[in-house]
Coordinates of all heavy atoms in Angstrom, one line a residue:
H1 N 0.8 -1.2 0.0 CA 0.0 0.0 0.0 C 0.9 1.3 0.0 O 0.3 2.3 0.0 CB -0.9 0.0 1.2 CG -0.2 0.2 2.5 ND1 0.7 -0.8 3.0 CD2 -0.1 1.2 3.4 CE1 1.2 -0.4 4.2 NE2 0.7 0.9 4.4
I2 N 2.2 1.2 0.0 CA 3.1 2.3 0.1 C 3.3 2.8 -1.3 O 4.2 2.1 -2.0 CB 4.3 2.0 0.8 CG1 4.0 1.5 2.3 CG2 5.2 3.2 0.9 CD1 5.2 1.1 3.1
S3 N 2.8 3.9 -1.8 CA 2.8 4.3 -3.1 C 4.2 4.6 -3.6 O 4.6 4.3 -4.8 CB 1.9 5.5 -3.4 OG 2.3 6.6 -2.5
W4 N 5.1 5.2 -2.7 CA 6.4 5.7 -3.2 C 7.3 4.5 -3.5 O 8.2 4.7 -4.3 CB 7.0 6.6 -2.2 CG 7.4 6.1 -0.9 CD1 6.7 6.1 0.3 CD2 8.6 5.4 -0.6 NE1 7.4 5.6 1.3 CE2 8.6 5.2 0.8 CE3 9.8 5.2 -1.3 CZ2 9.6 4.5 1.5 CZ3 10.9 4.6 -0.6 CH2 10.8 4.2 0.8
I5 N 7.1 3.3 -2.9 CA 8.0 2.2 -3.3 C 7.3 1.4 -4.4 O 8.0 0.5 -5.0 CB 8.3 1.3 -2.1 CG1 7.0 0.6 -1.7 CG2 9.0 2.0 -1.0 CD1 7.2 -0.4 -0.5
E6 N 6.2 1.8 -4.8 CA 5.5 1.1 -5.9 C 5.6 1.8 -7.2 O 5.1 1.3 -8.3 CB 4.0 0.8 -5.6 CG 3.8 -0.1 -4.4 CD 4.2 -1.5 -4.6 OE1 4.4 -1.9 -5.8 OE2 4.4 -2.2 -3.6
S7 N 6.2 3.0 -7.2 CA 6.3 3.8 -8.4 C 7.2 3.2 -9.5 O 7.0 3.5 -10.7 CB 6.8 5.2 -8.0 OG 8.1 5.1 -7.5
S8 N 8.1 2.4 -9.1 CA 9.0 1.7 -10.1 C 9.6 0.5 -9.5 O 9.8 0.5 -8.2 CB 10.0 2.6 -10.6 OG 10.9 3.1 -9.6
N9 N 9.9 -0.5 -10.3 CA 10.6 -1.7 -9.8 C 11.4 -2.3 -10.9 O 11.2 -1.9 -12.1 CB 9.7 -2.7 -9.1 CG 8.7 -3.3 -9.9 OD1 9.0 -3.6 -11.1 ND2 7.5 -3.4 -9.5
A10 N 12.2 -3.3 -10.7 CA 12.9 -3.9 -11.7 C 12.8 -5.5 -11.6 O 12.8 -6.0 -10.5 CB 14.4 -3.6 -11.7
D11 N 12.7 -6.2 -12.7 CA 12.6 -7.6 -12.7 C 14.1 -8.1 -12.9 O 14.6 -8.0 -14.0 CB 11.7 -8.1 -13.8 CG 11.6 -9.6 -13.9 OD1 12.3 -10.3 -13.2 OD2 10.7 -10.1 -14.7
I12 N 14.7 -8.7 -11.9 CA 16.1 -9.1 -12.0 C 16.3 -10.4 -12.9 O 17.4 -10.7 -13.3 CB 16.7 -9.4 -10.7 CG1 16.0 -10.5 -9.9 CG2 16.9 -8.1 -9.8 CD1 16.7 -11.1 -8.7
T13 N 15.2 -11.0 -13.3 CA 15.3 -12.1 -14.3 C 15.4 -11.6 -15.7 O 15.7 -12.4 -16.6 CB 14.2 -13.1 -14.1 OG1 13.0 -12.5 -14.7 CG2 13.9 -13.5 -12.7
D14 N 15.1 -10.3 -15.9 CA 15.1 -9.8 -17.3 C 16.4 -9.3 -17.8 O 17.2 -8.6 -17.1 CB 14.1 -8.6 -17.3 CG 13.7 -8.1 -18.7 OD1 14.5 -8.2 -19.6 OD2 12.6 -7.6 -18.8
P15 N 16.9 -9.8 -18.9 CA 18.2 -9.3 -19.5 C 18.3 -7.8 -19.6 O 19.4 -7.2 -19.4 CB 18.2 -10.0 -20.8 CG 17.4 -11.2 -20.8 CD 16.3 -10.8 -19.8
D16 N 17.1 -7.2 -19.8 CA 17.2 -5.7 -19.9 C 17.6 -5.0 -18.5 O 18.2 -4.0 -18.5 CB 15.8 -5.1 -20.3 CG 15.5 -5.4 -21.8 OD1 16.5 -5.7 -22.5 OD2 14.4 -5.2 -22.2
T17 N 17.2 -5.7 -17.5 CA 17.6 -5.2 -16.1 C 19.1 -5.3 -16.0 O 19.8 -4.4 -15.3 CB 16.9 -6.0 -15.0 OG1 15.5 -5.8 -15.2 CG2 17.3 -5.4 -13.6
Y18 N 19.7 -6.4 -16.4 CA 21.2 -6.5 -16.4 C 21.8 -5.3 -17.2 O 22.8 -4.7 -16.6 CB 21.6 -7.8 -17.1 CG 21.5 -9.0 -16.3 CD1 20.3 -9.5 -15.7 CD2 22.6 -9.8 -16.0 CE1 20.2 -10.6 -15.0 CE2 22.5 -11.0 -15.3 CZ 21.3 -11.4 -14.8 OH 21.2 -12.6 -14.0
E19 N 21.3 -5.0 -18.3 CA 21.9 -3.9 -19.1 C 21.7 -2.6 -18.4 O 22.6 -1.7 -18.4 CB 21.2 -3.9 -20.5 CG 21.9 -2.9 -21.4 CD 23.3 -3.2 -21.7 OE1 23.7 -4.4 -21.6 OE2 24.1 -2.2 -22.1
D20 N 20.5 -2.3 -17.9 CA 20.3 -1.0 -17.2 C 21.2 -0.9 -16.0 O 21.8 0.2 -15.7 CB 18.8 -1.0 -16.7 CG 17.9 -0.6 -17.8 OD1 18.4 -0.2 -18.8 OD2 16.6 -0.8 -17.6
F21 N 21.4 -2.0 -15.2 CA 22.1 -1.8 -14.0 C 23.7 -1.7 -14.3 O 24.4 -1.0 -13.7 CB 22.0 -3.0 -13.0 CG 22.4 -2.7 -11.6 CD1 21.8 -1.7 -10.9 CD2 23.4 -3.4 -11.1 CE1 22.2 -1.5 -9.6 CE2 23.9 -3.1 -9.8 CZ 23.2 -2.1 -9.0
R22 N 24.1 -2.3 -15.4 CA 25.5 -2.2 -15.9 C 25.8 -0.7 -16.2 O 26.8 -0.2 -15.9 CB 25.8 -3.1 -17.1 CG 25.9 -4.5 -16.7 CD 26.4 -5.3 -17.9 NE 26.4 -6.7 -17.7 CZ 25.5 -7.6 -18.2 NH1 24.6 -7.1 -19.0 NH2 25.5 -8.9 -17.9
K23 N 24.8 0.0 -16.8 CA 24.9 1.4 -17.1 C 25.0 2.2 -15.8 O 25.9 3.1 -15.8 CB 23.7 1.8 -17.9 CG 23.6 1.3 -19.3 CD 22.3 1.8 -20.0 CE 22.2 1.2 -21.4 NZ 20.9 1.6 -22.1
M24 N 24.3 1.8 -14.9 CA 24.4 2.5 -13.5 C 25.8 2.3 -12.9 O 26.3 3.3 -12.4 CB 23.3 2.1 -12.6 CG 23.2 2.8 -11.3 SD 22.0 2.1 -10.2 CE 20.5 2.5 -11.1
L25 N 26.3 1.1 -13.0 CA 27.6 0.9 -12.4 C 28.6 1.5 -13.3 O 29.7 2.0 -12.7 CB 27.9 -0.6 -12.4 CG 27.0 -1.5 -11.5 CD1 27.4 -3.0 -11.6 CD2 27.0 -1.0 -10.1
D26 N 28.4 1.7 -14.6 CA 29.4 2.3 -15.4 C 29.5 3.8 -15.0 O 30.6 4.4 -14.9 CB 29.0 2.2 -16.9 CG 30.0 2.9 -17.8 OD1 31.2 2.4 -17.9 OD2 29.6 3.8 -18.5
L27 N 28.3 4.5 -14.7 CA 28.3 5.8 -14.4 C 28.9 6.2 -13.0 O 29.5 7.2 -12.8 CB 26.9 6.4 -14.5 CG 26.3 6.5 -15.9 CD1 24.9 6.8 -15.8 CD2 27.0 7.6 -16.7
T28 N 28.6 5.3 -12.0 CA 28.9 5.6 -10.6 C 30.2 5.0 -10.2 O 30.8 5.5 -9.2 CB 27.8 5.0 -9.8 OG1 27.6 3.7 -9.9 CG2 26.5 5.7 -10.0

C-alpha cells in the first residue's frame, strides 16, 4: 500500500535489467 515504493521496480530475471544496471555501475 506504500505508493512511493511502488512507483517503479525492476525484474532481475530480465536481461534488460542487467543492461540497465551495468549502465548505472558504469556511471557511478
Side-chain angles (χ1 to χ4, degrees):
H1 69 293
I2 303 178
S3 60
W4 68 266
I5 66 173
E6 297 292 341
S7 61
S8 60
N9 65 41
D11 181 352
I12 58 166
T13 74
D14 192 329
D16 286 347
T17 302
Y18 279 61
E19 186 61 27
D20 282 347
F21 199 65
R22 289 190 188 104
K23 291 178 182 177
M24 186 181 295
L25 296 181
D26 182 62
L27 290 170
T28 58

